[in-house]
Amino acid sequence: MSHKRSGLLPGLVTGLIAALVCAAALGAAVLFQTRLPAAVTTFGNGHPLSLVSSLAIALIVVLAIGAVRPRSVILVPVAALYAGGAVAAGQIAGSSIMIGATLRTPPAERGPADLADITLDNFSAGLPYAPSLYRDPLSETWAAWLYIGVAALAALVLLTLRVTRVRRAQRALAAGEASAEEPEYRAPFEPAQAPTPKATADLFTPRKPANKD
């Protein structure tokens, strides 16, 4: 029956698609961050904006997986991996293109990033430098790890709640169907069908004369 499906495969596929979309969106945000208002990017040293982005990615991944009504607990750590990986992939992709465009453009010609900077050459040129976001000492890279951890933890908690709710609802539905299909109890010598009651004779109804033969 359909309500017994775990939703594992659809959840894996939809979660992966959502994670890829989120990674691309975050990479674009990193690349074009100079075009955002300075009040937004500099507020709290940019940490609130990045934390909100991490939470938004976790929510999108969980909504995508939760749309298939998942029952499998395997999807819970997978959702955390998808969300955290999307944050890391977006940071690396955006930083790689930004660094590559900076390295390949003369200083006098550098300006705000635009769509023309999104090229495979820029990505390849900046990719060796982008992982320094995570390779440097933790005292310098703690923010990047924090954003990944927030996304992963949020996805873990949200999908756990979703899976628990779906499993509880489906257990209740299965119990209701089982009770509805359970045959009615009947005593060993109780007939399957109650005998048809005979009509009680009325005082004014003439009685059939007894046979005298």
Side-chain angles (χ1 to χ4, degrees), residues 29-115:
V30 171
L31 180 61
F32 298 116
Q33 60 183 315
T34 56
R35 293 182 176 273
L36 296 175
V40 175
T41 57
T42 59
F43 176 74
N45 291 328
H47 298 315
L49 180 61
S50 298
L51 290 174
V52 169
S53 300
S54 298
L55 292 174
I57 289 175
L59 182 60
I60 292 172
V61 170
V62 169
L63 288 177
I65 298 177
V68 301
R69 293 183 58 80
R71 294 182 67 251
S72 177
V73 295
I74 298 177
L75 289 172
V76 174
V78 170
L81 180 63
Y82 280 168
V87 173
Q91 290 175 345
I92 291 177
S95 299
S96 297
I97 296 175
M98 180 185 297
I99 296 172
T102 302
L103 294 175
R104 292 167 55 85
T105 304
E109 300 178 5
R110 292 174 188 170
D114 54 25
L115 293 177

Side-chain angles (χ1 to χ4, degrees), residues 2-213:
S2 60
H3 67 272
K4 293 183 179 180
R5 295 175 183 171
S6 66
L8 177 59
L9 182 58
L12 292 174
V13 174
T14 56
L16 179 59
I17 294 174
L20 292 176
V21 172
C22 290
L26 181 60
V30 171
L31 180 61
F32 298 116
Q33 60 183 315
T34 56
R35 293 182 176 273
L36 296 175
V40 175
T41 57
T42 59
F43 176 74
N45 291 328
H47 298 315
L49 180 61
S50 298
L51 290 174
V52 169
S53 300
S54 298
L55 292 174
I57 289 175
L59 182 60
I60 292 172
V61 170
V62 169
L63 288 177
I65 298 177
V68 301
R69 293 183 58 80
R71 294 182 67 251
S72 177
V73 295
I74 298 177
L75 289 172
V76 174
V78 170
L81 180 63
Y82 280 168
V87 173
Q91 290 175 345
I92 291 177
S95 299
S96 297
I97 296 175
M98 180 185 297
I99 296 172
T102 302
L103 294 175
R104 292 167 55 85
T105 304
E109 300 178 5
R110 292 174 188 170
D114 54 25
L115 293 177
D117 293 329
I118 305 177
T119 62
L120 184 59
D121 291 337
N122 286 340
F123 177 77
S124 301
L127 184 59
Y129 303 95
S132 62
L133 291 170
Y134 313 104
R135 287 199 303 251
D136 290 344
L138 188 61
S139 59
E140 301 176 8
T141 62
W142 66 269
W145 287 109
L146 175 64
Y147 307 146
I148 295 174
V150 167
L153 182 60
L156 185 73
V157 173
L158 291 175
L159 193 62
T160 298
L161 296 175
R162 174 62 173 166
V163 170
T164 302
R165 183 179 302 176
V166 171
R167 290 169 70 92
R168 185 184 298 116
Q170 292 181 346
R171 282 198 301 266
L173 179 61
E177 291 178 352
S179 61
E181 295 175 358
E182 184 179 355
E184 184 180 357
Y185 173 77
R186 190 172 65 246
F189 300 102
E190 182 181 350
Q193 183 177 0
T196 305
K198 295 182 180 180
T200 305
D202 187 44
L203 293 176
F204 299 97
T205 302
R207 298 181 180 179
K208 184 178 179 181
N211 190 358
K212 298 181 179 180
D213 295 338

